[in-house]
Amino acid sequence: MAQLSIRIDFGPELRVGPGKIALLEHIAALGSISAGGRAMDMSYRRAWELIEELNTMFGQPVVESRSGGRKGGGATLTALGLSLISRYRAMERAAAAAAEAHLKALELEVPVKARD
C-alpha cells in the first residue's frame, strides 16, 4: 500500500522528517540516546549528531541527557521534543487523510508485480 512521507524544511540544512522523529520516539521509549540509535541500527555518534541538529534548529534542547554514574545515565525528551513528535504525527495523519483517495488511485497505476 502506498504511504505518504512528510519532511518539514525550515531551510536548506534545517529539516525534520520521519528519521529524526523515529529517533526521538526511540529515545523517549528506551531512555537513552545510544539505545535509541541502536534500535535504528545507528551509531551513538550519528544519533547524537541528529539530536544536536534539532537542538540547534530550534535553539533549545529537544533531549536532555544525564551523565552516567552510580544510577547510570540516560536521556529524556524535553517538552519541545514531545511537542515536536506530537505535531509531526498530527501533520502526518492530516496529510495522509487528505491524500488517501489520490494515493489509492496512484496505487492502481502501479503494476501488480511491483506491488508484491
Side-chain angles (χ1 to χ4, degrees):
M1 181 167 167
Q3 295 180 341
L4 190 63
S5 178
I6 302 292
R7 184 180 83 185
I8 305 164
D9 295 328
F10 293 101
E13 299 298 320
L14 304 172
R15 298 182 182 106
V16 176
K20 288 177 182 166
I21 295 299
L23 177 59
L24 289 176
E25 290 171 330
H26 284 298
I27 292 169
L30 300 170
S32 150
I33 294 171
S34 59
R38 278 193 306 272
M40 297 180 67
D41 293 323
M42 181 185 303
S43 70
Y44 172 79
R45 181 172 190 255
R46 180 65 182 142
W48 183 250
E49 287 172 350
L50 293 174
I51 296 305
E52 280 300 306
E53 284 179 25
L54 290 169
N55 291 344
T56 300
M57 184 183 321
F58 288 100
Q60 57 184 309
V62 295
V63 173
E64 291 178 342
S65 58
R66 297 176 307 283
S67 297
R70 182 179 288 195
K71 295 183 180 181
T76 56
L77 269 56
T78 63
L80 174 61
L82 294 169
S83 175
L84 179 57
I85 292 171
S86 178
R87 291 179 185 278
Y88 180 88
R89 293 299 184 201
M91 287 186 279
E92 193 175 53
R93 286 188 301 274
E100 183 178 13
H102 298 290
L103 287 173
K104 285 181 181 178
L106 285 172
E107 193 171 72
L108 294 174
E109 300 297 329
V110 177
V112 175
K113 281 184 178 181
R115 287 185 268 162
D116 290 338

